[in-house]
Amino acid sequence: MRRLVLFIPLAIFLVLAVFFMRGLSLNPMERASTMIGQPLPEFSLKRLDAPHQVVTRDDLLGQVFLLNVWGSWCPSCYDEHEYIVAAAKAGVPVIGLNYKDTPEKAHEYLRKMGNPYQMNLQEPEGMRALAFDLGVYGAPETFLVDREGTIRYHLTGVVTETLLNETLLPEVRRWQKH
Amino acid sequence: MAKTLMGLCMGLLIVSMAHAAIEVFPFADDQQRDRFQHLTELLRCPKCQNQTIGGSNSPIAQDMREQLFTLLQQGHSDQEVIDYMKARFGDYVVYQPPMRKDTWVLWWLPPLALLAGAIIILGLVWHKRRQSNAAAEVTSSPHEAQRAARLQQVLDRYADDKDIPS
């Protein structure tokens, strides 16, 4: 019995070691989204291809769609672009939110990379509108919005082939059936 | 030459860095400025690993400072500002974690560990004291007292007759 007491520090050490081992494999950039289950915030933003036209929240509702936050300044956006194109080809409506960009550079990006977007909204530098209200803190980020305008999925970071096929597309189908 | 150029580049770098951190906010009064500064130290930049929005130059930190200023101008309280940021960027945005079911370990483990430590130390002290009390009781038993008295007698006699051969 007295002997066993001596093993207590070892036991504590082992418990801590397991905790810290787990901590090593966690991604420190990962954040829990506050947006899941929340309504898409109200906004009124200019269209990129038709700047005289203002789009509001109500204009987007009625279909399940992906909202993709991007900018020509964002290197990872180039990486994920082919999968955004693939999502559009699979029949998923994708709305672009051109974030902290200029129309010239954004148009150049779309010319070069192809335009998978149903439409693009502009939130230039200095404006704190939809992206800010969605808690976007970088690009790319992707949201899944259902017919009623509730956010159902939120991805901070790059859409990969695996994420597209195993998460995004199945989620879209799921909410389309709802 | 290369050294001068390098120095110049470094100088420019420092100048541009210092420049980026300077923003001018037309505060209504000193109190509002103090509140602003306090809140920029309380709120954490969501893009950075461990920087306040006051200490970061990332675009999102800049946006958050500007929004913070706007909210203060609109007359929101500190708590309302914090809730506003939390609603958008999550609990990560404040350094103090919320008190919830899934965070209770975070809040209660340290005081519990402290309490456990205190109990163990008190237990050890109590144990030690009981041991030394028991030892003291042994020396103060009647038998032991008699022996001590006899020893004292022998010593006293020895002190009186120094000429007794040993």
Side-chain angles (χ1 to χ4, degrees):
Chain A
M1 185 58 209
R2 276 215 161 263
R3 275 275 157 86
L4 284 179
V5 171
L6 295 176
F7 283 98
I8 289 177
L10 183 68
I12 293 174
F13 167 78
L14 285 177
V15 168
L16 285 178
V18 168
F19 259 95
F20 290 139
M21 275 287 263
R22 249 181 60 82
L24 282 179
S25 58
L26 293 178
N27 177 8
M29 292 302 282
E30 219 167 68
R31 312 262 184 281
S33 175
T34 54
M35 288 299 149
I36 312 284
Q38 299 291 319
L40 186 72
E42 293 285 343
F43 65 91
S44 109
L45 291 170
K46 283 182 191 161
R47 275 183 73 150
L48 179 67
D49 51 339
H52 51 275
Q53 202 181 327
V54 170
V55 180
T56 62
R57 178 181 188 270
D58 292 339
D59 297 329
L60 299 185
L61 301 194
Q63 58 174 1
V64 176
F65 65 94
L66 292 177
L67 181 73
N68 179 236
V69 183
W70 65 280
S72 65
W73 50 268
C74 142
S76 317
C77 298
Y78 291 85
D79 297 340
E80 72 165 14
H81 197 79
E82 64 175 297
Y83 303 111
I84 304 296
V85 173
K89 279 214 178 107
V92 180
V94 187
I95 308 291
L97 179 54
N98 186 228
Y99 181 56
K100 293 189 185 292
D101 211 350
T102 60
E104 299 76 45
K105 284 182 184 160
H107 281 303
E108 175 66 27
Y109 175 97
L110 293 176
R111 250 198 311 279
K112 258 201 320 218
M113 306 288 295
N115 185 353
Y117 300 106
Q118 211 172 55
M119 71 165 95
N120 266 294
L121 310 171
Q122 295 183 50
E123 184 163 329
E125 180 75 63
M127 192 190 255
R128 294 181 303 279
L130 180 57
F132 193 84
D133 285 336
L134 282 168
V136 171
Y137 57 85
E141 288 196 26
T142 305
F143 297 84
L144 170 62
V145 185
D146 73 6
R147 278 192 200 89
E148 285 77 41
T150 306
I151 295 160
R152 295 302 182 182
Y153 180 76
H154 178 190
L155 172 73
T156 49
V158 179
V159 175
T160 59
E161 192 174 6
T162 322
L163 265 173
L164 176 70
N165 291 323
E166 285 169 20
T167 313
L168 271 176
L169 290 181
E171 281 287 313
V172 170
R173 303 287 175 243
R174 185 178 144 216
W175 291 105
Q176 276 174 340
K177 268 185 232 143
H178 244 259
Chain B
M1 180 59 203
K3 247 184 192 167
T4 330
L5 207 66
M6 183 104 146
L8 199 69
C9 286
M10 291 295 275
L12 277 174
L13 198 72
I14 291 166
V15 166
S16 64
M17 262 160 41
H19 176 75
I22 295 171
E23 283 159 324
V24 182
F25 290 109
F27 294 112
D29 49 38
D30 286 356
Q31 198 209 341
Q32 195 186 53
R33 192 198 58 217
D34 292 345
R35 281 179 61 207
F36 177 86
Q37 261 153 13
H38 176 63
L39 283 164
T40 57
E41 294 306 311
L42 230 58
L43 292 166
R44 174 151 62 160
C45 161
K47 184 78 185 166
C48 326
Q49 278 310 305
N50 203 353
Q51 264 183 312
T52 61
I53 64 165
S56 168
N57 271 333
S58 72
I60 188 63
Q62 201 177 327
D63 279 352
M64 285 169 77
R65 283 195 298 269
E66 278 163 23
Q67 189 63 24
L68 169 61
F69 176 69
T70 310
L71 291 172
L72 290 183
Q73 288 285 62
Q74 287 168 356
H76 291 282
S77 72
D78 289 9
Q79 193 54 51
E80 279 168 352
V81 169
I82 288 170
D83 291 344
Y84 178 96
M85 295 296 181
K86 263 184 161 176
R88 282 156 184 75
F89 301 99
D91 292 331
Y92 183 86
V93 88
V94 285
Y95 281 93
Q96 187 161 358
M99 185 83 89
R100 271 200 319 251
K101 238 194 245 160
D102 57 329
T103 58
W104 78 264
V105 174
L106 208 60
W107 282 96
W108 292 108
L109 192 63
L112 281 179
L114 210 64
L115 196 71
I119 289 172
I120 288 171
I121 288 174
L122 282 177
L124 284 176
V125 167
W126 184 70
H127 192 69
K128 260 265 156 65
R129 185 166 293 171
R130 222 176 53 152
Q131 259 182 355
S132 62
N133 276 351
E137 270 167 36
V138 169
T139 48
S140 61
S141 71
H143 176 67
E144 199 63 27
Q146 271 175 9
R147 283 184 58 173
R150 268 180 60 195
L151 183 64
Q152 197 58 50
Q153 271 178 7
V154 172
L155 284 173
D156 287 347
R157 198 182 305 154
Y158 178 69
D160 291 342
D161 317 308
K162 282 213 178 69
D163 45 329
I164 288 179
S166 52

